[in-house]
Amino acid sequence: MTENTQQQNPAPTTELPTQYAPAQVEGELYERWVERGYFEADAKSDKPPYTIVIPPPNVTGSLHLGHAFEHTLIDALTRRKRMQGYETLWQPGMDHAGIATQNVVERELAKEGKSRHDLGREAFIERVWQWKGESGGQISGQMRRLGDGVDWSRERFTMDEGLSEAVQTIFKKLYDDELIYRAERIINWCPRCLTAISDIEVEYQDDEGELVSIRYGEGDASIVVATTRAETMLGDTAVAVHPEDERYKHLVGTEIELPLTGRRIPVVADEHVDPEFGTGAVKVTPAHDPNDFEIGQRHGLPNLAVMDEHAVITAHGPFQGLDRLEARSAIVAALRAEGRIVAEKRPYTHSVGHCSRCKTTIEPRLSMQWWVKVGPLAKAAGDAVRDGKVKIHPQEMEKRYFDWVDNLHDWCISRQLWWGHRIPVWYGPNGEIVCVGPDEQPPTGEGWRQDTDVLDTWFSSGLWPFSTLGWPQQTESLAKFYPNSVLVTGYDILFFWVARMMMFGLYAMDGTPPFHTIALHGMVRDQFGKKMSKSFGNAVNPLDWMDTYGSDAVRFTLARGANPGVDVPIGEDWVQASRNFANKIWNATRFALMNGATVEGELPPAEQLSAVDRWILSRLNKTVAEVDAFYEDYQFSKLSDSLYHFAWDEVFSWYVELSKTTFFAGGEQAKVSGRVLGEVLDVMLRLLHPVVPFVTETLWTTLTGGESLVIADWPKDSGFRDEAAEAEIERVQAVVTEVRRFRKEQGLQDGQKVPARLDLTGTPLAAHEAAIRQLLRLQPEGEGFSATATLPVAGATVALDLSGTIDVAAERKRLAKDLAAAEKEKQQAEGKLGNEAFLAKAPDNVVDKIKARLAKAEADIDRITTQLANLPQA
């Protein structure tokens, strides 16, 4: 039948409580798992490795539904692999989150009336470490609530000593290979956080602003340009037009006057300009716009910065000292006074970048920063996927990956912060620059100073798959667990974190990619498909749902919605349904234990089993095979659905119900079915465990007496199939389903008994008559039996005597009324669909609704007509 290799003990006599109470089970169970070391990975083991790293949450963070979703998927994968005999490592840890953490501590200081500058750099860093020790890492406790099977003994933090050594090592290596350099470029600058920020830390939203068209120059030598940032015109060093634009060819190479400044600037021809957009001419401000900077580089234009780090105007004149927004209004007013405003559009909605931390509008700014030359690194990252070394799942996400890595710009890695990995570069008194590795002494003496910037958080998290295993030291863990088996993460950071890990892993580990597979999932949304956000009022704290419904219910809901690369809608009703499923597993297993379900002894041979027993064992093995296939394809939704329908529909709703007559009768056959039921529950609970670990652990240890499902064997498909038994039970199901439908249509209560004659002669159904009668509440035909309704189904005939159970006259009257309403609805729908004038004007969606109404009306007519025909004669 099924193959299970773990030695099992006889089931203990402890009875299960009448109800499952997650709060009384989950915390204690998890601590027991951790204390027994079930999640700890042994680098010396001869088992094959299976490794997944946690996408490191920010030390400032707390568990949100996105975390809960991702962690559920990773935990399911690692629990299954552990049960399959792999040396499984789920590597935990946290990210130091440079800007976010510094902001948190600075806000705490502000409450004391202080700033970081009051403390100084060293004292401020000490204060951050203090905060981290007292308040950081809240998410670790929440991960325990969810049931994350991580190896806590290996927990890492990106500012740990070992990980800091890895950061310094790779910086030095990249620097020596001329892949890190220092240059003045345009960066995203936050005037509030006073640092450069990465692209991923910029949030774009539609803001209302103004679009003003300004005339530069005079008469025939004038050009109109449009801008949403009038304040930057003070830094214009050219106007650009397309080389083929006939309107401006006479001006290319000449100079025109820049209003308000007294300066003259050149008109240049550049193919970047779109002649079809606006006036076909653009102002060029190289120090304050990335595209303008590129134009400036091509034409040798000067870079004129007109704002400081606080976004305050520094240009000489009446606008000096004004904030950028104040200057914008003042400059437009001054231009208007000179008659240079040709047009104004207000409000003008356009996409504007904001700092993800403090929501301040980002200012593109020319700045001296450290950069990674990503060209060769990005090529390697792209080739690894093209060559099949790394697979992206789902495969359709590959195009997005290639679009990104094939078009990467050099990466700005320096941040003007104090919290983070400080750039290991020293500057000498005579312009010397020395990059220092972890085993080297920095230069000393008068005039030497270290760079004050720190590295982008993504720099250190890009090393995560190997720095957490001890690199640059050649540790046993690195040899055993690198590369990772799979990376499970959201498609939203495919371009940022994933690409950086690919580049660094291939570079540092001699061409070995950091993982074999990248499994991408979508974002969690509310039940209406809307993004979850506090501002929308639809954000959910998963801990609240765990408190109410249990962690298993939250996990199962999330896994059941997880289709690869697709967003996941979730609502509280669905969590309630999952809680009901957990309760169903509990109650059914409790019933089974009370009625002789056991794992003692070998399964009887097939010839000693009833058709019902052979059917459920055949379905069990098919489910094992199906679930395995779905796991290998990261189809969490499908495997969860498969388990749900097998457990609820086939085991609980059919096998247990069909076997009740056997259990109640007792005897040898009851013992056989008890052993089969024990086998089915044993395997089913193993299959369910990776997704719903708590309730299954409690039930399985009670059923089997085994130590823990965490270290139990994963079920194997023995290959047992019995298609004949499956076909036989399908006929039983067809009879029961059809008669149940008929009873419901006639308004009979579920428990209402009805006299019936079952003609099962010559069919395999005869062996199941007792079970069929019990399931359908059918009494034997007695004296005076009258077959008032006859149902042919599945090769059998079921005759029912309804004469004493329903008011036939009242039922005919009710059905006749419903039939008249359905016929009227059909007539109205047909009338509209037959009206050519109506069809010519009506929108497609209206016509579709009427067609749907017609189809429903026709179905209702067929159903009611059949019900009337089946009613006994009055």
Side-chain angles (χ1 to χ4, degrees), residues 519-594:
L520 299 170
H521 59 72
M523 304 296 102
V524 178
R525 298 181 177 271
D526 70 13
Q527 65 266 44
F528 306 109
K530 190 174 182 180
K531 179 182 177 181
M532 284 193 173
S533 167
K534 290 180 181 179
S535 60
F536 294 155
N538 63 350
V540 173
N541 182 346
L543 295 176
D544 293 339
W545 280 353
M546 288 185 223
D547 289 342
T548 305
Y549 305 110
S551 297
D552 283 333
V554 174
R555 289 170 62 114
F556 192 72
T557 304
L558 291 165
R560 204 173 178 192
N563 289 300
V566 179
D567 288 346
V568 183
I570 184 172
E572 189 166 2
D573 289 350
W574 305 339
V575 186
Q576 288 178 329
S578 296
R579 187 269 315 273
N580 295 343
F581 179 52
N583 287 342
K584 184 73 172 180
I585 300 170
W586 182 272
N587 293 333
T589 304
R590 185 171 178 273
F591 168 85
L593 288 169
M594 293 169 61

Side-chain angles (χ1 to χ4, degrees), residues 118-146:
D118 294 324
L119 272 66
R121 186 169 193 138
E122 290 188 12
F124 177 76
I125 296 300
E126 194 174 306
R127 181 70 176 261
V128 179
W129 278 109
Q130 179 184 340
W131 175 87
K132 191 259 182 186
E134 295 173 355
S135 306
Q138 178 185 359
I139 202 168
S140 297
Q142 297 166 334
M143 287 167 60
R144 293 170 182 265
R145 283 289 312 279
L146 188 64

Side-chain angles (χ1 to χ4, degrees), residues 136-192:
Q138 178 185 359
I139 202 168
S140 297
Q142 297 166 334
M143 287 167 60
R144 293 170 182 265
R145 283 289 312 279
L146 188 64
D148 287 1
V150 300
D151 185 346
W152 291 111
S153 70
R154 294 174 175 267
E155 187 174 11
R156 297 292 182 266
F157 180 55
T158 49
M159 290 285 285
D160 283 349
E161 183 177 344
L163 273 66
S164 296
E165 180 187 355
V167 168
Q168 194 171 353
T169 298
I170 202 163
F171 187 100
K172 170 70 171 174
K173 180 175 170 59
L174 288 163
Y175 182 87
D176 289 346
D177 288 345
E178 298 184 349
L179 292 173
I180 281 183
Y181 63 95
R182 191 168 182 247
E184 195 174 40
R185 299 277 182 83
I186 293 286
I187 45 89
N188 301 309
W189 181 264
C190 176
R192 155 61 182 80

Side-chain angles (χ1 to χ4, degrees), residues 662-680:
T662 301
F663 289 134
F664 294 161
E668 194 59 35
Q669 190 57 49
K671 292 180 181 179
V672 170
S673 293
R675 179 64 186 91
V676 170
L677 180 54
E679 178 78 4
V680 170

Side-chain angles (χ1 to χ4, degrees), residues 186-187 189 191 209-214 216 225-236 283 285-292 306-307 311 313 324-325 327-329 331-332 335 348 350-353 361-366:
I186 293 286
I187 45 89
W189 181 264
E210 61 181 353
L211 180 68
V212 293
S213 298
I214 310 167
Y216 288 12
V225 298
T227 181
T228 58
R229 302 166 65 220
E231 68 279 9
T232 63
M233 68 158 291
L234 301 176
D236 286 359
K283 58 192 287 298
T285 321
H288 294 279
D289 183 274
N291 293 321
D292 293 3
V306 296
M307 277 182 255
I313 300 298
R324 55 182 166 169
L325 299 181
R328 182 176 302 170
S329 299
I331 287 170
V332 170
L335 291 167
Y348 177 73
H350 60 130
S351 182
V352 178
T361 300
I362 290 302
E363 190 63 46
R365 183 169 187 256
L366 187 65

